Amino acid sequence: MGIGGITYKTINGKRYAYYQWTENGKQRSRRVKDDEFAELAAKIAVEKAKKASAKMMVAEPSIAYSAAPQFKTDIKTGALLVNFCKSVSKWEKRECFGSLHDYIYGENNDRILILYGLRRTGKTTLVRQAIGEMPAEMRAKTAFIQLNSRLTLADVNHDLKLLETLGFRYVFIDEVTLLGDFIEGAALFSDVFAAGGMKVVLSGTDSLGFVFSEDEQLFDRCQLLHTTFIPYREFERVLKVKGIDNFIEYGGTMSRLFVNKKSADDYVDSAIARNIQHSLKRYQHEGHFRSLQQLYDAGELTSAINRIVEDVNHRFTMEVLTQKFLPHVTKRLKKLLLIRDKEEQSVNISDAHRTEIREYLDLLDLTCDIDVVNMSNLNERKVRTMFSQPGLRYTQAAALIQSLLLDGTFRNTAIAERMAIEERILDEIRGRMMEEIVLLETKLARPEMQVFQLQFAVGEFDMVVFDPVHACCEIYEIKHSDKIAAEQCRHLLNPRKCAETEFRYGRILSKNVIYRGPSTLRQGINYVNVEEYLTFQR
């Protein structure tokens, strides 16, 4: 009985998976049930990988390598590898470097390691730093493979077998997600090479493809090392750039990438939208687009993803504009924003489209929801969507405000007043973003705690950190100001709000104001500098 494969048929507009195989010289076929698809697809891929490996061993049992081996991929070894790593030797390392180091030098566990993250978050730099630190005898057994979309898994298998025969034990493969058959055959790396004693590190642009392969082909066979989220402390230490406002404007990548709207839009298109589309195209033989199939077939999927990302940031801008400042222009700005959003909606995006695209943004570590709790109605479910790349959000929001203020509606407004309006709005945006950065980094740094915003009938606590095990909490106000003012702590000192909070969440351990001024203690309130607070969140 042959290995067979999975094909698809469209019946009455719906796609169905069928397993086809050859038995006793005859081709047979049967319908694949939804609950068995993943396991069957993984089994087929593993058998194909083993068969390809076996053919390689039979076909090339005694190749003599007196001459340079004929590799099919772009491979760096020896002196080329040394030069490849030289320029990053003095660069600061990201915190996740420790996990990469432990994998390389740890005991073999038949697993591969995947560097998983969006573009420009330091994946290749981590690899170069790891190789650069290796002892000479270890680096002599190390290879770096650069792939492209013209190659196949068979080409990579060919070269890995050659490297294995030559005694190479540490292999780093970049842009592996460009292989059209990567997701289907990813088990090759773990089941054949890692199981044979090789340490294999994979990285690639289409990071969502790694999520799909980890769920199926590489289930329990890989270690994922995330790079997308770059906290403030790493931004300051690695890039040598200090200040929360600098982080707001440029944070999110390992370079000052978000310098204008074009750079932000290009990043969304290449690192996010095409990442999602390419990964879905290669997953389950294009059988997992779900409700996005219609957009994909119409060639509109990447446009829709771009629109959703921009829409998330437009909604954020709308929320800032609804705050009680500049009332004489807020109404006009909001009206212009609604008109512009409607004009730019060339793609008809349904609620189902939005839901599924948001799921993929979450999987890419780009977005994260923070709960907003209503003390008057604890059953009410509200969230705030945080962006893990603040520079992207700020650039899109700032560009939007600037373009709105150049609209004909403001033609009769003096330039000095327009500039004052713009700066006032941008300051409000920076303040709101600082609040979100603190909430997000606290949530990620303290997973054992519940981190949320707590709203009362009048006023709110910007952040509550609740310990459900010990029934206690900390309450915070988060202000973009660099000066202490009495109104900053008025909610923290309100007896009724504090009593309601302690009834629901236990004893209040501390009352805190996070701001841009120096850390100090005033009347029982901890004033904490925001950079100091974020530096020690780990």
Side-chain angles (χ1 to χ4, degrees):
M1 179 176 172
I3 298 172
I6 295 176
T7 61
Y8 293 86
K9 295 181 182 179
T10 300
I11 302 174
N12 295 327
K14 186 174 181 181
R15 284 164 60 92
Y16 295 93
Y18 283 82
Y19 174 45
Q20 292 185 341
W21 73 97
T22 302
E23 185 175 352
N24 297 326
K26 295 183 178 180
Q27 190 175 58
R28 301 184 181 276
S29 175
R30 69 172 178 82
R31 169 88 180 277
V32 180
K33 298 178 181 178
D34 291 342
D35 59 359
E36 68 169 332
F37 180 92
E39 182 178 352
L40 179 60
K43 182 178 178 181
I44 292 171
V46 170
E47 291 301 320
K48 285 183 177 180
K50 290 180 178 178
K51 186 175 180 180
S53 180
K55 283 182 178 179
M56 179 68 70
M57 295 176 67
V58 172
E60 305 175 40
S62 56
I63 296 176
Y65 293 105
S66 55
Q70 297 300 308
F71 292 117
K72 296 185 177 183
T73 63
D74 180 9
I75 296 181
K76 289 182 174 65
T77 60
L80 289 176
L81 205 57
V82 173
N83 292 333
F84 178 61
C85 303
K86 188 178 297 182
S87 63
V88 302
S89 61
K90 295 183 179 180
W91 292 7
E92 292 286 346
K93 297 180 179 65
R94 291 203 56 187
E95 292 171 6
C96 55
F97 179 84
S99 297
L100 175 59
H101 180 278
D102 291 346
Y103 170 78
I104 294 170
Y105 293 89
E107 293 184 4
N108 188 283
N109 57 8
D110 295 351
R111 295 188 178 195
I112 65 173
L113 183 137
I114 293 175
L115 286 172
Y116 164 78
L118 296 180
R119 285 180 53 233
R120 306 295 291 272
T121 56
K123 299 185 295 296
T124 304
T125 298
L126 285 167
V127 168
R128 294 168 69 190
Q129 289 174 324
I131 296 173
E133 285 196 350
M134 287 179 170
E137 63 274 14
M138 189 174 177
R139 192 162 53 241
K141 301 176 182 179
T142 300
F144 177 86
I145 303 177
Q146 182 76 44
L147 301 182
N148 59 61
S149 59
R150 297 186 300 275
L151 298 167
T152 66
L153 203 58
D155 297 325
V156 180
N157 179 63
H158 172 276
D159 286 2
L160 287 175
K161 294 304 292 185
L162 292 183
L163 290 170
E164 188 175 50
T165 306
L166 290 169
F168 284 82
R169 290 293 174 263
Y170 308 93
V171 179
F172 299 82
I173 307 176
D174 194 20
E175 297 298 358
V176 69
T177 54
L178 293 180
L179 299 175
D181 50 355
F182 165 69
I183 296 176
E184 179 184 353
L188 169 76
F189 299 104
S190 58
D191 293 5
V192 176
F193 295 102
M198 187 178 282
K199 291 293 182 73
V200 181
V201 177
L202 306 180
S203 61
T205 299
D206 296 338
S207 50
L208 186 62
F210 287 131
V211 177
F212 294 149
S213 61
E214 190 267 344
D215 187 57
E216 293 189 359
Q217 285 283 297
L218 294 174
F219 179 73
D220 201 34
R221 297 180 178 94
C222 70
Q223 174 185 343
L224 283 176
L225 187 56
H226 295 237
T227 65
T228 295
F229 176 64
I230 303 171
Y232 172 81
R233 62 180 181 274
E234 284 198 79
F235 177 83
E236 180 182 293
R237 180 179 58 80
V238 178
L239 298 181
K240 310 296 184 185
V241 179
K242 293 187 177 182
I244 187 64
D245 282 353
N246 283 323
F247 184 60
I248 289 169
E249 294 187 30
Y250 303 109
T253 65
M254 297 309 294
S255 61
R256 289 197 174 196
L257 181 64
F258 305 121
V259 294
N260 52 42
K261 187 177 186 299
K262 184 180 185 305
S263 63
D265 291 346
D266 288 346
Y267 186 84
V268 172
D269 186 65
S270 61
I272 300 170
R274 298 188 186 280
N275 181 343
I276 295 173
Q277 174 161 310
H278 291 171
S279 299
L280 287 171
K281 183 179 179 180
R282 292 176 169 89
Y283 183 44
Q284 294 183 354
H285 305 280
E286 300 188 20
H288 198 75
F289 278 98
R290 299 186 290 170
S291 69
L292 301 179
Q293 185 73 50
Q294 182 182 9
L295 293 175
Y296 175 70
D297 290 342
E300 297 281 8
L301 181 54
T302 56
S303 297
I305 296 169
N306 276 285
R307 189 75 192 98
I308 293 297
V309 173
E310 193 168 50
D311 182 61
V312 170
N313 290 327
H314 281 195
R315 288 174 184 268
F316 163 81
T317 308
M318 282 280 285
E319 290 174 5
V320 173
L321 291 175
T322 59
Q323 296 179 4
K324 295 180 180 179
F325 72 99
L326 298 173
H328 64 290
V329 298
T330 298
K331 186 175 181 180
R332 282 187 287 168
L333 283 170
K334 288 175 63 178
K335 183 178 179 180
L336 283 172
L337 181 55
L338 288 171
I339 293 172
R340 176 159 298 193
D341 278 353
K342 187 174 182 179
E343 289 176 346
E344 292 179 358
Q345 287 179 0
S346 59
V347 181
N348 184 22
I349 302 174
S350 69
D351 289 341
H353 296 151
R354 293 179 185 278
T355 298
E356 291 180 18
I357 290 173
R358 276 297 312 278
E359 288 174 353
Y360 293 130
L361 296 180
D362 287 347
L363 287 173
L364 290 173
D365 296 333
L366 187 66
T367 53
C368 176
D369 287 339
I370 297 288
D371 288 331
V372 178
V373 178
N374 182 350
M375 186 64 89
S376 303
N377 183 6
L378 297 173
N379 293 322
E380 183 180 54
R381 168 69 176 169
K382 288 177 61 179
V383 297
R384 283 176 60 177
T385 299
M386 310 292 166
F387 236 64
S388 65
Q389 295 190 319
L392 176 58
R393 166 163 282 185
Y394 181 82
T395 301
Q396 288 192 332
L400 177 65
I401 294 301
Q402 289 166 2
S403 65
L404 290 177
L405 288 174
L406 290 175
D407 189 88
T409 305
F410 289 89
R411 189 170 298 154
N412 296 325
T413 303
I415 186 171
E417 185 179 351
R418 287 204 309 269
M419 291 176 67
I421 292 171
E422 178 182 341
E423 183 52 37
R424 180 76 180 274
I425 295 174
L426 291 179
D427 188 62
E428 290 288 342
I429 287 174
R430 286 190 287 267
R432 179 66 178 262
M433 288 188 64
M434 180 178 127
E435 184 179 303
E436 293 193 346
I437 289 166
V438 170
L439 280 160
L440 178 60
E441 295 206 15
T442 303
K443 178 183 175 72
L444 296 178
R446 304 175 71 177
E448 75 283 2
M449 302 293 187
Q450 294 179 19
V451 178
F452 53 90
Q453 191 172 61
L454 184 60
Q455 294 182 335
F456 300 90
V458 178
E460 63 187 20
F461 292 154
D462 291 333
M463 181 171 73
V464 175
V465 180
F466 169 50
D467 183 344
V469 175
H470 300 98
C472 56
C473 65
E474 305 158 18
I475 56 177
Y476 294 82
E477 289 291 316
I478 305 168
K479 306 300 177 186
H480 190 246
S481 173
D482 60 356
K483 296 178 175 58
I484 294 176
E487 64 269 16
Q488 293 168 342
C489 60
R490 67 186 187 279
H491 297 311
L492 300 177
L493 296 175
N494 185 291
R496 182 173 179 177
K497 289 182 174 64
C498 290
E500 290 180 13
T501 301
E502 289 197 316
F503 177 81
R504 184 64 58 185
Y505 301 107
R507 186 164 62 95
I508 297 174
L509 300 180
S510 64
K511 300 178 180 181
N512 313 273
V513 174
I514 297 176
Y515 77 135
R516 293 189 298 130
S519 296
T520 187
L521 178 65
R522 291 270 187 99
Q523 297 179 328
I525 303 294
N526 298 310
Y527 284 83
V528 185
N529 176 267
V530 62
E531 286 100 358
E532 291 179 14
Y533 177 86
L534 294 173
T535 298
F536 292 103
Q537 287 297 313
R538 61 179 68 229

